[in-house]
Amino acid sequence: MTASQQLLALHKFGGSSLADPTCYRRVADLLVSHSQPADLVVVSAAGKTTNKLIELYQLALSGADYALLLQQLAQYQTNLIEQLLHQPTSLLELLTQELAELEQWLTSASNNRSLIVACGEVWSSRLLAALLNQLGQVSVAIDARDFLVAQGEVTPIVDEKRSIENLHQLSESFIGQQRVITGFICRDEGGNTLLLGRNGSDYSATLIAKLAGASEVNIWTDVAGVFSADPNLIHEACLIEELSLAEAEELARIGNPVLHHRTLQPLAQDKIALRVRSSFEPDSAYTEIGKRLGHVGDCIVNGIANIELYLLPDNEKTQQLIHQLPQHGFFPLVATRHVNHILLGLTLEAAPSFEVLLKQHRAIAWSKHSEFGLISLLDAGVSWYRKLFNKLFAKESSWPIVLSDNGLSLSAIVPVKRVNLLAYMLHHRIYSPSKRIGVVLLGAGNIGRCWLNLFQQQQEKLEQRFGASISLVGIVGSSAALIDFSGIAISQWQQQFEQYSQPLAKQDLLSAFENQPLDELIMLDLSADQMLSDTYAQILSCGYHIISANKLAGSSASANYTAIKEAALANNAKWAYNASVGAGLPIQYAINDLVNSGDEIQEISGVFSGTLSWLFAHYDDSEPFSSLLLRALSLGITEPDPRDDLSGKDKQRKLLILAREAGLELELTDIQLTSMVPDALALLSTDEFIGRAAELDPVISSLYQAAAKENKVIRYLAKFELIAGKIIAKVGLEQMASDHPFAALTPSDNVFLIKTKWYQDNPLIIRGPGAGREVTAAAVQSDLLQVIKAVI
């Protein structure tokens, strides 16, 4: 078996992992415990050595004195050798020779830049190999220039066929030894040193792994992998444990410092797993990059503090240039059309070379814009966050928000001073423990449609106020339903309902939401459906919340009413039904506040019907009551069947709801009801009743005249009161003094009068519009706000 067939993995260590003797020992111990003898090791220069070598080169090139810096670099390397090796002599002698060569190269720096910068990798690989040998792990230092052959000085392209042959031939001499190879450097056909550029050590690591046939690459660094944001800036950032190769390539393209586009290139055609791991915590979790990994929802926020923006004319010449950019080593952070131009965003590092390229294309006019930064979000489902991007960034600048061509990232150009703050805000909005709340509308009639309009206006404000995602996720009609847990666009709900709704029987309502992914589900019952109100206890037992304008459950038999209340309490679910009485008037809130304060409610009375309020406010016996009734019907003030208003059953139910809110135990049958509909008219069809409505006139006229003789008025009243501990409750027509609060009603108003231990001689009066689509929808919206507030 050849050495290449024995390879298991490649381990790469960056300069931060080899910054001092302690770091070297940590890396050596890690290799002893976490690698096999056949594994390859690729290393960068120790600490900031490469930066120092570049600085030396620049000083020498400018003719400045570099003696002190060279002395500091020599001392740093000497200290590493002396503190790490028991027998440092041979390495110190080699270092002395090479420092002398380095000084000679510096005297003609312009011709020797690559040789000067390459020294750090050579020193690093040789020292680590010596330390491993000292620990009993037989190792050899290999200069990558002995096998990596490339062409091109600016962006060297490695000749893989030649390099594989060289590596295999070289490896035969070192079977059983751990090979510690220099990163970042290679050579051309003439033996001249070439540098592999930014993140060159990572690139050479994945490239050598490919050439050697390794199954995995471990890039050991000072962080545990790729995080959801820069952990140095955002402490809440979390480790992303799996990334697809496509996601990693996109992350590199948008400028994430952990990965570089070139590093990933060798992995594209080979089944090599790339793992980014912490050399400080080798057994902790890490990020693995592979072709089929990655998960929707593992979002990564990336911020770049400075970029250069270029505007180029949107024409054929520009398109040709953009097509050629990868060949020149340019991968724009942003590339999009903007106001008849092509907008490109590049890093500050790439900008000077890009401008050189632009100047070579003199026919292309261009302009540059500085003082901007870039915030990008990477996720396999990133398009779901477009709305959030618009909220956070649309006002930050006039530049467009850009969705990448591959659909993996969204980017926003923002003022450079705002990058860190806005990156934090974006990360917080995505990863904060905010709840996802879904709202289901049961009944999309007149009130339901009105509520949809109101919710659409207030949805964004609610989300901002509570820091939660609050979406309409279901619309349930009489026999069909539209359910979408990702959220229904309210502006298009009718079209979506027509196209995508599915048949749904009322008895199957709960099963339709059995696997819902939401933190909270709130059902709005804006119907008058008895079957639906009968399922309230079941709905609440699932932990779902109910907001109801439907009066049937609140006025049902005591056993059912009690079961509903107990189900809500046992399952920490909320049942709010303020809209069932008085629409938007705060009558139930007032009753609850009085009871909670320790007061005792002794009487509640009032005109609970906007229709009957309108009728008796206008009736003066100058025209028949039936004529006025038919006018109200034509104006839409009454129900389609006016008997629904005249029978008093609706008012009877409302009175029962208020009595129960006041703490009284009462059944519907305990409330005496006097209907305005004679028995002879009760069972007729609607049309027949309307045809015989004049039969009401003599009775109403007689009542009106009798009241007028005593300077009184008639009103249809609902009332309960406690008399000697006994509950007296009734609904029907009554006479009252012309100065009574119920006498001076504005047409269509409701009025509630509450007498308590504290409000006795001067009762509490609540009056205002008690019916109508708008005010009822507003009451439902108020209940929704209160329920959300309670569950957040």
Side-chain angles (χ1 to χ4, degrees):
M1 182 179 291
T2 66
S4 62
Q5 291 174 319
Q6 296 176 14
L7 291 177
L8 298 176
L10 184 145
H11 304 270
K12 186 268 173 181
F13 297 92
S16 59
S17 295
L18 300 167
D20 56 39
T22 300
C23 290
Y24 264 91
R25 292 188 188 98
R26 183 186 298 115
V27 167
D29 291 340
L30 186 156
L31 287 170
V32 169
S33 60
H34 287 74
S35 72
Q36 301 295 325
D39 287 353
L40 294 172
V41 180
V42 172
V43 292
S44 298
K48 302 293 184 181
T49 298
T50 298
N51 291 343
K52 297 294 184 184
L53 288 167
I54 293 173
E55 188 179 352
L56 273 173
Y57 163 76
Q58 292 172 339
L59 288 172
L61 196 64
S62 66
D65 185 5
Y66 53 80
L68 178 60
L69 182 59
L70 180 59
Q71 181 183 352
Q72 291 172 347
L73 182 61
Q75 187 61 52
Y76 172 69
Q77 294 295 327
T78 299
N79 289 342
L80 286 174
I81 295 171
E82 290 179 342
Q83 293 182 45
L84 286 170
L85 301 181
H86 302 322
Q87 298 178 344
T89 305
S90 60
L91 256 64
L92 287 174
E93 289 176 352
L94 279 173
L95 177 63
T96 301
Q97 294 174 16
E98 290 166 351
L99 286 170
E101 289 179 341
L102 173 60
E103 195 162 9
Q104 288 182 354
W105 293 334
L106 287 168
T107 60
S108 55
S110 60
N111 299 321
N112 293 312
R113 181 179 186 275
S114 296
L115 282 171
I116 293 168
V117 177
C119 291
E121 264 68 18
V122 174
W123 297 336
S124 183
S125 64
R126 192 166 59 207
L127 178 55
L128 182 58
L131 180 58
L132 287 169
N133 281 313
Q134 183 174 281
L135 293 174
Q137 184 128 319
V138 181
S139 304
V140 61
I142 295 178
D143 191 325
R145 290 172 290 191
D146 290 342
F147 65 91
L148 272 186
V149 182
Q151 295 178 349
E153 188 172 346
V154 178
T155 307
I157 304 300
V158 173
D159 184 335
E160 294 189 12
K161 183 177 179 181
R162 286 277 309 278
S163 298
I164 288 174
E165 293 173 355
N166 293 342
L167 177 61
H168 286 181
Q169 183 178 355
L170 184 65
S171 296
E172 292 297 331
S173 304
F174 303 113
I175 295 175
Q177 299 183 53
Q178 186 135 73
R179 286 148 292 171
V180 184
I181 305 170
T182 58
F184 183 55
I185 56 176
C186 59
R187 65 172 172 85
D188 63 14
E189 289 285 353
N192 300 304
T193 298
L194 300 176
L195 304 178
L196 291 172
R198 179 177 170 232
N199 289 80
S201 294
D202 286 351
Y203 169 56
S204 56
T206 53
L207 177 63
I208 292 169
K210 177 182 179 181
L211 301 179
S215 60
E216 68 181 58
V217 176
N218 294 288
I219 295 182
W220 298 92
T221 182
D222 56 349
V223 294
V226 177
F227 281 76
S228 59
D230 184 348
N232 295 314
L233 295 175
I234 300 175
H235 298 309
E236 297 85 358
C238 54
L239 179 69
I240 304 298
E241 295 191 13
E242 292 185 342
L243 275 176
S244 68
L245 181 58
E247 290 171 320
E249 288 177 333
E250 180 64 12
L251 190 62
R253 187 193 66 77
I254 60 178
N256 187 280
V258 178
L259 299 170
H260 188 263
H261 179 76
R262 234 182 155 199
T263 303
L264 301 164
Q265 287 177 343
L267 308 178
Q269 303 300 324
D270 290 77
K271 296 181 179 180
I272 303 175
L274 176 63
R275 295 167 180 168
V276 183
R277 311 176 70 170
S278 171
S279 60
F280 295 86
E281 298 180 60
D283 294 316
S284 66
Y286 52 84
T287 298
E288 180 167 345
I289 298 168
K291 285 190 176 181
R292 297 184 180 180
L293 300 175
H295 302 282
V296 174
D298 286 345
C299 299
I300 301 173
V301 176
N302 191 66
I304 302 179
N306 279 287
I307 66 170
E308 298 286 12
L309 299 176
Y310 296 88
L311 281 178
L312 289 73
D314 187 0
N315 56 34
E316 186 176 348
K317 290 183 179 179
T318 299
Q319 294 294 342
Q320 291 175 353
L321 173 63
I322 292 174
H323 184 71
Q324 297 169 1
L325 287 181
Q327 301 172 25
H328 295 282
F330 295 109
F331 300 92
L333 304 167
V334 172
T336 189
R337 285 183 168 84
H338 177 59
V339 193
N340 300 322
H341 285 80
I342 299 294
L343 172 66
L344 298 178
L346 286 93
T347 63
L348 291 183
E349 181 185 39
S353 300
F354 180 65
E355 290 177 21
V356 170
L357 180 64
L358 286 176
K359 289 173 182 176
Q360 294 172 2
H361 293 72
R362 296 180 181 179
I364 299 178
W366 55 277
S367 61
K368 182 171 72 170
H369 303 265
S370 303
E371 300 299 320
F372 286 98
L374 190 73
I375 295 177
S376 301
L377 179 67
L378 175 88
D379 184 65
V382 77
S383 59
W384 289 103
Y385 295 96
R386 185 183 286 276
K387 182 178 178 181
L388 176 58
F389 252 64
N390 287 330
K391 287 181 184 178
L392 287 179
F393 304 124
K395 296 180 181 179
E396 293 293 333
S397 73
S398 59
W399 301 109
I401 290 171
V402 181
L403 176 67
S404 62
D405 291 340
N406 57 21
L408 290 176
S409 72
L410 274 169
S411 295
I413 300 164
V414 301
V416 66
K417 294 180 180 179
R418 300 271 289 165
V419 170
N420 289 346
L421 175 61
L422 291 172
Y424 174 82
M425 290 174 62
L426 177 61
H427 187 272
H428 179 75
R429 289 293 296 273
I430 294 172
Y431 282 97
S432 63
S434 59
K435 288 192 174 182
R436 188 179 178 197
I437 298 173
V439 182
V440 180
L441 176 61
L442 308 175
N446 289 334
I447 296 173
R449 292 167 189 254
C450 192
W451 174 81
L452 283 169
N453 291 334
L454 186 60
F455 181 65
Q456 184 179 12
Q457 296 168 19
Q458 298 188 5
Q459 183 179 10
E460 183 175 340
K461 292 181 180 178
L462 284 175
E463 291 182 330
Q464 291 176 349
R465 174 174 177 178
F466 294 108
S469 169
I470 305 171
S471 302
L472 179 70
V473 298
I475 300 176
V476 180
S478 57
S479 59
L482 171 65
I483 299 172
D484 185 347
F485 293 123
S486 67
I488 297 170
I490 300 176
S491 60
Q492 303 170 11
W493 78 266
Q494 289 177 293
Q495 178 183 351
Q496 291 182 45
F497 194 89
E498 291 173 1
Q499 292 181 348
Y500 304 116
S501 63
Q502 299 292 324
L504 180 68
K506 292 292 191 306
Q507 60 267 26
D508 298 327
L509 176 65
L510 289 177
S511 61
F513 292 93
E514 189 173 9
N515 296 315
Q516 58 86 16
L518 305 161
D519 296 302
E520 305 288 348
L521 189 70
I522 305 173
M523 294 191 172
L524 274 54
D525 180 9
L526 307 190
S527 73
D529 192 303
Q530 180 70 61
M531 184 182 295
L532 187 57
S533 69
D534 289 342
T535 65
Y536 277 19
Q538 293 173 266
I539 293 172
L540 294 164
S541 294
C542 294
Y544 306 154
H545 313 288
I546 301 173
I547 295 171
S548 178
N550 185 338
K551 291 176 278 294
L552 297 176
S555 60
S556 62
S558 289
N560 184 60
Y561 177 80
T562 301
I564 295 172
K565 288 285 189 178
E566 289 177 348
L569 183 64
N571 295 280
N572 197 29
K574 307 299 176 185
W575 176 31
Y577 45 95
N578 289 286
S580 62
V581 182
L585 296 177
I587 177 61
Q588 291 188 53
Y589 290 123
I591 293 172
N592 290 329
D593 285 345
L594 290 169
V595 172
N596 292 336
S597 69
D599 202 352
E600 297 176 4
I601 295 177
Q602 299 169 349
E603 177 186 324
I604 295 179
S605 60
V607 177
F608 297 176
S609 167
T611 300
L612 297 180
S613 171
W614 188 92
L615 287 170
F616 286 109
H618 283 85
Y619 182 70
D620 60 4
D621 205 25
S622 62
E623 67 172 314
F625 182 79
S626 59
S627 176
L628 188 64
L629 179 66
L630 295 178
R631 180 149 40 107
L633 175 63
S634 67
L635 294 172
I637 295 173
T638 73
E639 295 293 335
D641 186 341
R643 287 172 296 183
D644 291 340
D645 296 298
L646 300 177
S647 70
K649 291 180 181 178
D650 181 68
K651 275 59 72 180
Q652 186 186 31
R653 290 186 179 279
K654 289 178 178 178
L655 184 64
L656 179 58
I657 290 171
L658 296 185
R660 285 173 169 171
E661 285 298 293
L664 304 183
E665 294 185 6
L666 212 63
E667 296 284 1
L668 195 63
T669 53
D670 294 329
I671 301 174
Q672 179 185 338
L673 173 64
T674 303
S675 173
M676 292 175 59
V677 182
D679 291 344
L681 304 180
L683 300 179
L684 301 177
S685 69
T686 302
D687 290 340
E688 289 174 328
F689 167 74
I690 291 173
R692 294 174 57 182
E695 295 178 27
L696 298 172
D697 295 340
V699 177
I700 302 300
S701 178
S702 174
L703 289 171
Y704 177 84
Q705 291 175 14
K709 287 180 181 179
E710 299 184 22
N711 195 29
K712 293 182 178 181
V713 298
I714 56 173
R715 294 289 183 263
Y716 198 80
L717 197 67
K719 178 180 181 180
F720 79 78
E721 57 184 331
L722 291 173
I723 301 176
K726 185 179 180 181
I727 305 171
I728 307 297
K730 58 182 179 179
V731 175
L733 281 170
E734 290 194 21
Q735 295 183 3
M736 56 196 59
S738 58
D739 61 351
H740 193 281
F742 299 162
L745 276 183
T746 303
S748 299
D749 270 3
N750 278 196
V751 60
F752 301 90
L753 183 149
I754 305 173
K755 287 185 178 181
T756 73
K757 181 174 63 176
W758 297 338
Y759 291 86
Q760 186 61 244
D761 297 330
N762 188 17
L764 176 63
I765 297 175
I766 299 173
R767 64 179 294 170
R773 291 173 293 181
E774 290 79 9
V775 289
T776 304
V780 171
Q781 185 68 6
S782 175
D783 275 351
L784 177 62
L785 187 148
Q786 295 300 324
V787 170
I788 293 172
K789 185 177 180 180
V791 301
I792 285 295

